[in-house]
Amino acid sequence: MSGAVYSGDDIGAVVLDVGSNTMRVGYAGEEYPRHDIPSSIAIYEENYLKKYNIGTVALHSKHPGAEITTFLKDGMVENWDHFENMLEYIFTKRLHTAFENHPVLLTEPAWVVQHKREQMVELMFEKFNSPAVHLAKGAMLVGMSNSRPTTLIVDSGATHTTAVPIHEGFVVSQAIVKSPAGSDYILEQARMMLQDRKVDLVPYYRVASKEVVKQEEAPIWREKHFKGVTASWHNYMVKEVMQDFHASVLQLSESTYDEDVVRTSPTVHYEFPNGYNRDFGIERFKVVEPLFNLTARVGNGIQPSLDVSSLVTTSVGMCEMDIRATMYSNVIITGGNSNIHGFTERLTRDLQLKVPPSMRLKIIPQNGSIDRRFAPWLGGAILGSLATFQSYWISKQEYEEVGKVIVHSRC
């Protein structure tokens, strides 16, 4: 092996944060990602050819028979053909550049399996002819974006909530703890609550017109008919309504849910696409409570075995004794689902009751909701722009000399 390293100092690296809900895309050294693209893809046939609709606007285009799918499973790429189409869209339609022009830094989950890493490197070099590639654990990048090389990352995203310890910049693999309770889980809890209250979840695409009605009155609206709508496309549009409801209405009680207490909290008014509107009071607290109190969950779907505070204590308890105090004093909260109002306060309160008195607990809040959503990308943008990082890129020449297994020694 020649030992050649990538040294394209004058060419901006592309940073791709691959998330279950969206992909964050931009250039190393920039303050925020340039694009936040849904990780879902609409696939349909036209003139006997398979077509792909990617991006928020394209996903909303109505094509008979269009099915919505994703290329990810458990945070890892499962369908490589669909992922290739996503990358081609990102470079040609969003960044308007060629793969050959930029090194690429991609995020990966802390629990990624080895053969997935090899497939990723192989794809980037063989299919897209990238000049250099680096794979980085998302949790490690969150620590970097917060200048914390040793920390515990509590990431509540779309499909799961995780606790990942980072020690001196490296993931403590044996102490990773995961729960399937993310925003998708909360959306399902909210959907069942609305169903119990006979609220018809009509997505925007079905509404041709609507009239103003009083609170809790039956909506008066005219339906827009469209043939060929698949269940997956319809469900995606309903999910968008639920995501807006999630962001606009839901809130966590700062202490264990007490109906007499939350009843005194202000209500939030919400109007659905078909015009039905009402105030939400105790429901907006009760729906989110299962994140921290498993006995509050409803339905027969996902059944998490740990609440968020228990994820933290379990993960720290699996770390070496000499770093546990450091973990408890450096807890970083990230992920879009953690933007629920009251999340940080509730986690702090619950941990104060569980953490040993000898340990100092410190929750490190991010600057705002955007930084929480984009934290792995922000860390990647910092890492990819460092002059000292140049020797860590896997160059095309190194890949050709060693093969895809080089990823395990270099990333």
Side-chain angles (χ1 to χ4, degrees):
M1 177 179 169
S2 67
V5 297
Y6 178 76
S7 59
D9 296 337
D10 56 338
I11 301 177
V14 171
V15 179
L16 301 176
D17 178 25
V18 185
S20 296
N21 190 45
T22 65
M23 285 188 64
R24 280 70 68 173
V25 180
Y27 289 101
E30 295 188 337
E31 187 175 8
Y32 289 109
R34 294 194 177 192
H35 307 286
D36 189 22
I37 305 166
S39 297
S40 297
I41 298 175
I43 303 174
Y44 62 99
E45 283 194 4
E46 189 174 89
N47 298 325
Y48 302 102
L49 295 175
K50 183 179 287 187
K51 298 285 187 176
Y52 295 85
N53 274 354
I54 302 173
T56 302
V57 175
L59 283 169
H60 285 78
S61 299
K62 304 182 191 70
H63 291 277
E67 297 281 359
I68 297 282
T69 187
T70 181
F71 46 82
L72 294 169
K73 183 178 181 180
D74 195 27
M76 297 176 283
V77 176
E78 182 75 9
N79 190 310
W80 292 91
D81 288 339
H82 294 170
F83 184 61
E84 283 183 31
N85 278 275
M86 173 63 78
L87 291 182
E88 288 175 349
Y89 168 82
I90 287 171
F91 274 79
T92 60
K93 302 296 186 182
R94 291 301 185 94
L95 298 179
H96 304 287
T97 188
F99 290 90
E100 296 86 351
N101 293 339
H102 305 274
V104 179
L105 187 156
L106 298 107
T107 67
E108 59 185 6
W111 53 90
V112 65
V113 294
Q114 289 193 354
H115 76 271
K116 295 284 187 182
R117 310 186 81 220
E118 294 175 2
Q119 282 179 281
M120 184 66 76
V121 170
E122 185 176 40
L123 174 69
M124 298 310 299
F125 284 123
E126 299 289 349
K127 171 70 177 181
F128 296 119
N129 198 30
S130 297
V133 174
H134 187 82
L135 307 183
K137 302 292 190 294
M140 180 272 290
L141 295 175
V142 174
M144 172 164 285
S145 70
N146 287 270
S147 302
R148 304 272 175 168
T150 297
T151 180
L152 181 75
I153 308 299
V154 179
D155 185 348
S156 190
T159 58
H160 47 260
T161 297
T162 58
V164 181
I166 308 294
H167 182 56
E168 298 299 332
F170 293 93
V171 173
V172 184
S173 300
Q174 74 274 12
I176 297 171
V177 183
K178 296 166 55 184
S179 166
S183 63
D184 287 352
Y185 170 70
I186 295 303
L187 293 181
E188 179 60 15
Q189 295 288 305
R191 187 195 64 79
M192 288 187 287
M193 178 272 291
L194 294 171
Q195 186 179 53
D196 288 344
R197 285 154 180 75
K198 311 300 181 185
V199 177
D200 189 10
L201 291 173
V202 179
Y204 287 99
Y205 82 89
R206 286 181 54 196
V207 180
S209 63
K210 61 183 178 181
E211 296 183 17
V212 176
V213 295
K214 293 181 180 180
Q215 187 173 171
E216 297 192 49
E217 284 189 349
I220 303 173
W221 61 289
R222 185 169 59 85
E223 185 171 2
K224 184 186 299 181
H225 295 283
F226 179 75
K227 294 181 179 180
V229 172
T230 63
S232 64
W233 193 83
H234 171 80
N235 291 338
Y236 183 84
M237 297 303 153
V238 171
K239 183 178 179 180
E240 287 196 337
V241 176
M242 294 306 304
Q243 286 173 329
D244 184 71
F245 180 84
H246 179 293
S248 304
V249 176
L250 303 185
Q251 181 174 341
L252 270 160
S253 173
E254 293 183 12
S255 59
T256 302
Y257 176 85
D258 184 323
E259 194 159 303
D260 291 333
V261 174
V262 298
R263 196 183 298 276
T264 64
S265 299
T267 60
V268 171
H269 191 76
Y270 189 81
E271 180 176 320
F272 293 89
N274 65 350
Y276 176 76
N277 66 99
R278 60 165 291 176
D279 289 338
F280 289 91
I282 60 174
E283 306 99 328
R284 66 193 192 95
F285 293 92
K286 195 170 185 179
V287 161
V288 198
E289 185 64 15
L291 282 175
F292 290 88
N293 179 8
L294 300 183
T295 62
R297 63 195 176 192
V298 296
N300 297 315
I302 294 173
Q303 299 293 317
S305 58
L306 292 173
D307 60 50
V308 178
S309 61
S310 295
L311 283 178
V312 173
T313 55
T314 302
S315 177
V316 174
M318 295 169 70
C319 293
E320 296 293 333
M321 184 70 73
D322 59 345
I323 67 171
R324 291 179 186 176
T326 305
M327 291 297 163
Y328 276 131
S329 62
N330 289 275
V331 179
I332 297 176
I333 300 173
T334 190
N337 193 52
S338 70
N339 282 322
I340 297 172
H341 184 67
F343 190 100
T344 300
E345 293 78 8
R346 178 60 178 275
L347 179 58
T348 302
R349 181 264 180 195
D350 282 13
L351 285 176
Q352 286 171 340
L353 298 175
K354 294 182 178 182
V355 173
S358 59
M359 301 286 185
R360 173 176 174 265
L361 175 67
K362 183 178 181 181
I363 307 292
I364 302 165
Q366 308 246 38
N367 292 332
S369 61
I370 293 178
D371 283 8
R372 282 196 190 181
R373 287 184 59 215
F374 297 156
W377 187 93
L378 297 174
I382 294 170
L383 187 64
S385 64
L386 296 176
T388 54
F389 184 66
Q390 296 302 326
S391 62
Y392 289 89
W393 289 105
I394 301 171
S395 69
K396 177 75 168 176
Q397 181 179 344
E398 288 175 311
Y399 169 78
E400 291 174 343
E401 292 179 356
V402 179
K404 59 189 177 183
V405 293
I406 192 175
V407 68
H408 306 306
S409 60
R410 294 292 293 281
C411 301

